[in-house]
Amino acid sequence: MCLVCIEYSKQKLTPNEAMRNIGEMRSEVGEEHYNKAYNKFYDDYLEQALDDYWSEYYEQTGFGD
């Protein structure tokens, strides 16, 4: 496990920060680990974005009151 993955598992990095950091370390960690880690970070990023969208949806649209 690389430094980015370790810090991400400790929740010291957001998915967006982890994607950026793993991109900077791409040549050091190898292509296979990069792809696996980036996909994990990206999936978590999408999940977080979707949760954020739906948590604010009704407040933004005014429906549901």
Side-chain angles (χ1 to χ4, degrees), residues 43-59:
D43 288 345
D44 291 350
Y45 170 77
L46 290 178
E47 186 176 321
Q48 180 183 7
L50 189 60
D51 288 345
D52 291 346
Y53 174 78
W54 284 113
S55 68
E56 298 174 4
Y57 177 78
Y58 292 109
E59 287 79 15

Side-chain angles (χ1 to χ4, degrees), residues 1-51:
M1 194 158 26
C2 69
L3 182 60
V4 177
C5 293
I6 292 169
E7 294 300 312
Y8 185 73
S9 68
K10 294 179 183 177
Q11 298 181 340
K12 292 187 177 185
L13 295 173
T14 65
N16 197 26
E17 293 169 332
M19 286 188 300
R20 185 179 62 241
N21 292 349
I22 199 74
E24 293 172 359
M25 295 184 64
R26 187 175 192 165
S27 60
E28 287 87 13
V29 298
E31 201 64 29
E32 183 179 348
H33 180 70
Y34 167 80
N35 288 332
K36 191 182 298 185
Y38 186 87
N39 289 336
K40 167 70 172 138
F41 303 149
Y42 188 70
D43 288 345
D44 291 350
Y45 170 77
L46 290 178
E47 186 176 321
Q48 180 183 7
L50 189 60
D51 288 345

